[in-house]
Amino acid sequence: MRYFADHAWLGGDGVEADVLIEVDGERIAVVTAAAARPPDAVHLRGLTLPGLANTHSHAFHRALRGRAQRGGGTFWTWREEMYAVAARLTPDSYHALARATFAEMALAGIACVGEFHYVHHDTGGVRYTHENAMADALIAAAADAGIRITLLDTCYLTGGFDRALEGPQRRFGDGDATRWAERVGALATTTPAHARVGAAIHSVRAVPAAQLATVAGWARDHEAPLHVHLSEQRAENAACQAAHGVTPTQLLHEHGALGPRSCAVHATHLADGDVKLLGSTATTVCLCATTERDLADGIGPARALADAGTPLSVGSDSHAMIDLLEEVRAVELDERLASERRGHFSAAHLLRAATVDGHAALGWPQARGLQAGAPADLVTVGRDSVRLAGSTPATLLEAVVFAASTADVRDVVVSGRRIVADGLHTLVEDVPAALDAAILEVLGA
Amino acid sequence: MRYFADHAWLGGDGVEADVLIEVDGERIAVVTAAAARPPDAVHLRGLTLPGLANTHSHAFHRALRGRAQRGGGTFWTWREEMYAVAARLTPDSYHALARATFAEMALAGIACVGEFHYVHHDTGGVRYTHENAMADALIAAAADAGIRITLLDTCYLTGGFDRALEGPQRRFGDGDATRWAERVGALATTTPAHARVGAAIHSVRAVPAAQLATVAGWARDHEAPLHVHLSEQRAENAACQAAHGVTPTQLLHEHGALGPRSCAVHATHLADGDVKLLGSTATTVCLCATTERDLADGIGPARALADAGTPLSVGSDSHAMIDLLEEVRAVELDERLASERRGHFSAAHLLRAATVDGHAALGWPQARGLQAGAPADLVTVGRDSVRLAGSTPATLLEAVVFAASTADVRDVVVSGRRIVADGLHTLVEDVPAALDAAILEVLGA
């Protein structure tokens, strides 16, 4: 299979013209810039990027789009509305919702999702007969949508420091970290090729300090990604200081949860020492700017983290919108709002966060861009809309990062399979209808 | 002519179903909710809104999209790049660029633009034989694109407090406010029906204090809008304090430039007393959030201004993107980032800013929404994309405000004429091609 891209981003500060990408099965065999166009090649009109990595997702939050924006409140009142949806999920309804949500991601150029999954058990916390029924539903949903998934199986044991799980939270709990590890161990031995299993600590609020090392140890033993929600809200920092006398970052570090395979999600409210710790341990940070705007979290220190040595990635998280181009430009633009200075990250740096560095944080380091040996993931952003009109090869990268929309994504190839052709999903016939039906089902409206 | 909207926003906190809108010439004759669908009515599928008002535009900045995002720098280095484009404009090239840019606005649901216009004269400041050639080019461009325009003819006399115009700025100058008023007076007597003329003070940096009252007086005498860039950058505040010992807001107030027909653009860096002055004088504030992000201006006190009595409006300003839905959600979301609280503005309040209040600030108070007697401006946002899937009538307003894109705008009627049908402009055949050609011409690339 051969693809010919009018322009492609091969990882540098600009774009290359006339790029021939030869694919052998699931992988890229050869990439040749300034090539002639073979008549049999699929012609990708626009700018072709590597597959985008959505490093942080809670698929079921998609049902809240529009609903969660009514009225006021705080992060914590938003959480009550989110729990009401979590309470209603079944393996079947969650499969349908995740399939449709992952198909929406595919249309937005996302080749791989990190699903931060904690709705493990039936109502009241009762284990399903097949105890990983929910995780398997999510892995199957990704297959249906044609994308890869890292199932970040999340340890979620407490409702706060020294507080038991309550109400819908009881679905999340495995009792203790050892039982969590047993369940996840069974899951990790049976994953199909499009999936891998990672570990997650929901947050320092949700896993007692004495059990953090068990989760971190499982990830280390399995060479698996380890993700954790970190300091999204100031209240978490205050509660952690009160309980342990240290910041959440320090607590995670003390228990071996930071490192090059770890990914801290949000990292909004950090002390200077936290920034240094995350950087010196080469922990990735996943920024979720549209969610952080929606939930009024605040603006995290993205540039300081990058300066300290932290790779950045991005996630659509609550799916208020699913648009990783908006996520990455927001990393730059929100830093501008906070600093009143321009130009913190180049377009190429932002695209690396959305592609290569995100994939690495999800345990797919082989997805290192448009080069031989990498998975054949191609995302083509059309240049035919008014949004990108007027761009030239010299400005195309910046135009796409700062002005394009998911609506401009025309073609998507994931692991050698073309899953979006001319803006339409090739596997899920009517994605909006699938979303409508799945959301209606879980809302019971 | 009759239109039947599946859903429409009639100004309340929610949407109405099955809305029949009967149009007589350029105006709405009757609006009936819960109506039967007549077979001859144009069926508007999705949510129909009143026409959007883009309260602040510099059409020629559209040429900078993608270019101005390369590298770093400040507002002031960005301005150098912008001046380089301003230096190249001719009446013909500006007509072509504005026509294409206004057509992009039409595709985004914009029915009326406030063009803050200051490139009045030929290179070096020489008057054109027809001294309003540039303004007329902009007014013609709006007609070509099918939208209304308020030509905010801008008085721009100095390059700073006690500093003469330099280089490309010399094109902006009329010498003094009296000569500015003479030129604008000639323009204002000859405007066609789709246009009106307003006044603008570029900023307190660009009009000496002693001449502010001349511009304000012209606006008062002509019952015309009076717009002004206000406190976008802290440097302006510092320079104004140094020169006059007061804030820019106070200076404008002392010279009669605030009031219900006035509109302060940006209003980012305000003292508490400034907020009170803008509110008590009922001066509108135009927020340009995507530009304020791009130029690293900071986050203005939108909620405090609204609480003080200020009507809000929005503008795409530098056209880093043209998406008034992104502009209005950014008003709410950036306030969340600054305050770490949710729910400052309802979706309806944000839509009023983008429609009715924006039109009022541009001198079209008759454009008061989908009701009898108002101009027949209808903007239909399709619900058939993944972005709005899962919305219900109860959440449709919030879904559109917080998750839709200009790519979802399907149909646009302005003053009774359908200028966008099924996502295509009916008057400008190929808008991206028009943008490409016009931008190539002014960049000379």
Side-chain angles (χ1 to χ4, degrees):
Chain A
M1 201 68 191
R2 301 204 280 184
Y3 295 88
F4 183 84
D6 285 343
H7 290 94
W9 176 63
L10 304 185
D13 286 331
V15 303
E16 308 298 325
D18 299 334
V19 179
L20 181 64
I21 302 162
E22 298 176 73
V23 171
D24 183 10
E26 297 189 0
R27 300 201 168 264
I28 295 173
V30 187
V31 176
T32 313
R37 179 155 71 92
D40 67 329
V42 176
H43 190 178
L44 300 174
R45 292 177 171 84
L47 176 63
T48 297
L49 306 171
L52 305 181
N54 192 359
T55 310
H56 190 64
S57 160
H58 304 281
F60 75 92
H61 292 194
R62 176 63 182 81
L64 294 168
R65 186 182 297 171
R67 294 174 73 84
Q69 282 75 40
R70 291 179 301 179
T74 65
F75 173 90
W76 308 101
T77 55
W78 164 85
R79 199 176 67 157
E80 294 304 312
E81 195 156 3
M82 182 267 284
Y83 281 170
V85 176
R88 290 185 54 89
L89 297 170
T90 67
D92 282 351
S93 69
Y94 202 5
H95 171 264
L97 178 56
R99 170 181 174 269
T101 302
F102 294 158
E104 179 177 352
M105 291 184 194
L107 291 169
I110 291 164
C112 186
V113 63
E115 179 63 27
F116 198 103
H117 168 56
Y118 53 76
V119 189
H120 302 305
H121 306 300
D122 205 348
T123 309
V126 178
R127 294 200 169 211
Y128 287 108
T129 308
H130 168 45
E131 63 184 5
N132 283 312
M134 285 294 220
D136 281 350
L138 292 163
I139 290 170
D144 293 347
I147 69 173
R148 293 190 301 274
I149 184 171
T150 296
L151 195 291
L152 298 160
D153 195 302
T154 305
C155 188
Y156 197 137
L157 305 173
T158 57
F161 295 95
D162 291 319
R163 184 168 173 178
L165 298 176
E166 292 170 9
Q169 293 177 330
R170 295 171 66 198
R171 302 192 68 174
F172 313 159
D174 283 296
D176 59 40
T178 303
R179 291 175 67 195
W180 166 85
E182 287 167 7
R183 183 179 52 72
V184 179
L187 178 67
T189 59
T190 60
T191 48
H194 78 288
R196 65 166 302 176
V197 173
I201 292 162
H202 177 275
S203 59
V204 293
R205 291 179 277 120
V207 177
Q211 300 188 58
L212 291 169
T214 304
V215 184
W218 186 94
R220 190 172 54 248
D221 293 347
H222 290 75
E223 297 185 349
L226 173 62
H227 286 224
V228 54
H229 286 136
L230 177 67
S231 296
E232 182 177 6
Q233 291 281 320
R234 295 182 196 274
E236 172 178 299
N237 289 359
C240 187
Q241 283 285 359
H244 298 292
V246 294
T247 66
T249 302
Q250 288 171 316
L251 190 68
L252 291 169
H253 185 56
E254 287 172 8
H255 295 277
L258 303 185
R261 273 197 322 279
S262 294
C263 179
V265 181
H266 303 302
T268 309
H269 300 288
L270 300 182
D272 289 348
D274 298 334
V275 173
K276 284 184 194 141
L277 263 183
L278 292 165
S280 63
T281 56
T283 302
T284 294
V285 163
C286 177
L287 301 163
C288 305
T290 67
T291 296
E292 289 151 12
R293 289 171 176 171
D294 187 37
L295 298 185
D297 294 336
I299 301 173
R303 186 62 245 179
L305 285 163
D307 288 341
T310 293
L312 301 180
S313 65
V314 294
S316 64
D317 189 0
S318 69
H319 313 312
M321 54 178 61
I322 294 177
D323 188 336
L324 293 197
L325 295 173
E326 179 66 24
E327 297 296 338
V328 290
R329 67 178 157 251
V331 171
E332 168 67 23
L333 296 177
D334 289 352
E335 182 91 31
R336 293 185 190 184
L337 289 177
S339 68
E340 297 177 27
R341 291 280 306 175
R342 308 181 81 222
H344 304 278
F345 297 97
S346 67
H349 193 154
L350 296 170
L351 281 175
R352 277 197 297 277
T355 57
V356 177
D357 290 347
H359 270 107
L362 293 177
W364 304 89
Q366 61 271 50
R368 58 191 184 280
L370 297 178
Q371 52 181 275
D377 298 343
L378 313 175
V379 174
T380 304
V381 179
R383 284 179 72 184
D384 54 347
S385 82
V386 287
R387 287 173 286 283
L388 299 183
S391 61
T392 65
T395 62
L396 186 52
L397 212 57
E398 288 78 11
V400 166
V401 167
F402 287 100
S405 147
T406 56
D408 298 315
V409 173
R410 304 310 300 165
D411 287 279
V412 181
V413 175
V414 175
S415 297
R417 181 162 62 160
R418 196 169 179 191
I419 62 168
V420 175
D422 199 24
L424 294 175
H425 204 292
T426 63
L427 307 173
V428 178
E429 193 178 350
D430 185 339
V431 180
L435 283 163
D436 277 334
I439 290 170
L440 187 69
E441 171 71 21
V442 301
L443 293 180
Chain B
M1 200 67 189
R2 301 205 282 184
Y3 295 90
F4 183 84
D6 286 342
H7 291 94
W9 177 63
L10 303 185
D13 286 331
V15 304
E16 308 298 325
D18 299 334
V19 178
L20 182 65
I21 302 161
E22 298 175 75
V23 171
D24 183 11
E26 296 189 1
R27 300 201 169 264
I28 295 173
V30 187
V31 177
T32 313
R37 179 155 71 92
D40 67 329
V42 175
H43 190 176
L44 300 173
R45 292 178 171 83
L47 176 63
T48 296
L49 306 171
L52 305 180
N54 192 1
T55 309
H56 190 66
S57 161
H58 304 282
F60 75 92
H61 292 194
R62 175 62 182 83
L64 294 168
R65 185 182 297 172
R67 294 175 73 86
Q69 283 74 39
R70 292 178 301 177
T74 65
F75 172 90
W76 307 102
T77 55
W78 164 85
R79 199 177 68 156
E80 293 305 312
E81 195 155 5
M82 182 268 283
Y83 281 168
V85 177
R88 291 185 55 89
L89 297 171
T90 67
D92 282 351
S93 69
Y94 203 5
H95 171 263
L97 178 56
R99 170 181 174 269
T101 302
F102 294 158
E104 179 177 352
M105 291 185 194
L107 291 170
I110 291 163
C112 186
V113 63
E115 179 64 26
F116 198 103
H117 168 56
Y118 52 77
V119 189
H120 302 304
H121 306 299
D122 206 347
T123 308
V126 177
R127 295 202 166 209
Y128 288 107
T129 308
H130 167 45
E131 63 184 5
N132 284 311
M134 285 295 219
D136 281 349
L138 291 163
I139 290 170
D144 293 345
I147 69 174
R148 293 190 300 274
I149 185 170
T150 297
L151 196 291
L152 298 159
D153 196 301
T154 303
C155 187
Y156 196 137
L157 304 173
T158 57
F161 295 95
D162 290 320
R163 185 168 172 177
L165 298 177
E166 292 171 9
Q169 293 176 331
R170 295 169 67 197
R171 302 193 67 174
F172 313 158
D174 283 297
D176 59 42
T178 303
R179 291 174 67 195
W180 166 86
E182 287 167 5
R183 183 179 53 71
V184 180
L187 178 66
T189 57
T190 59
T191 50
H194 77 289
R196 66 167 301 179
V197 173
I201 293 162
H202 176 275
S203 59
V204 293
R205 289 180 278 120
V207 178
Q211 300 187 58
L212 291 170
T214 304
V215 185
W218 186 94
R220 190 173 54 248
D221 293 347
H222 291 75
E223 297 184 349
L226 173 62
H227 287 224
V228 54
H229 286 136
L230 177 67
S231 296
E232 181 177 7
Q233 291 282 319
R234 295 183 196 274
E236 172 178 298
N237 289 359
C240 187
Q241 283 285 358
H244 299 292
V246 293
T247 66
T249 303
Q250 289 171 317
L251 190 68
L252 291 170
H253 185 56
E254 286 172 8
H255 294 277
L258 302 185
R261 272 197 324 276
S262 295
C263 178
V265 181
H266 304 302
T268 309
H269 300 289
L270 299 182
D272 290 348
D274 298 334
V275 172
K276 284 183 194 142
L277 263 183
L278 291 166
S280 64
T281 56
T283 301
T284 294
V285 163
C286 176
L287 301 162
C288 306
T290 67
T291 295
E292 289 151 12
R293 288 171 177 171
D294 187 38
L295 298 185
D297 294 337
I299 301 173
R303 186 63 246 179
L305 285 162
D307 288 341
T310 293
L312 301 180
S313 65
V314 293
S316 64
D317 189 1
S318 68
H319 314 310
M321 53 178 61
I322 295 178
D323 189 337
L324 293 196
L325 295 172
E326 179 66 23
E327 297 297 337
V328 290
R329 67 177 158 252
V331 171
E332 168 67 23
L333 296 177
D334 289 353
E335 182 90 32
R336 293 186 190 185
L337 288 177
S339 68
E340 297 177 26
R341 292 279 308 175
R342 308 181 81 222
H344 304 277
F345 297 97
S346 67
H349 193 152
L350 296 171
L351 280 175
R352 277 197 297 277
T355 57
V356 177
D357 290 347
H359 270 107
L362 293 177
W364 303 89
Q366 61 272 50
R368 58 191 184 279
L370 297 178
Q371 53 181 274
D377 299 343
L378 313 176
V379 174
T380 303
V381 179
R383 284 179 72 185
D384 53 347
S385 83
V386 288
R387 288 174 284 283
L388 299 183
S391 61
T392 65
T395 62
L396 185 53
L397 211 58
E398 288 78 12
V400 166
V401 167
F402 287 100
S405 148
T406 55
D408 298 316
V409 173
R410 305 310 299 164
D411 288 279
V412 181
V413 175
V414 175
S415 296
R417 181 161 62 159
R418 196 168 179 194
I419 62 168
V420 176
D422 198 24
L424 294 175
H425 204 291
T426 62
L427 306 174
V428 179
E429 193 177 352
D430 185 339
V431 180
L435 284 162
D436 277 334
I439 290 170
L440 186 70
E441 171 71 22
V442 301
L443 292 181

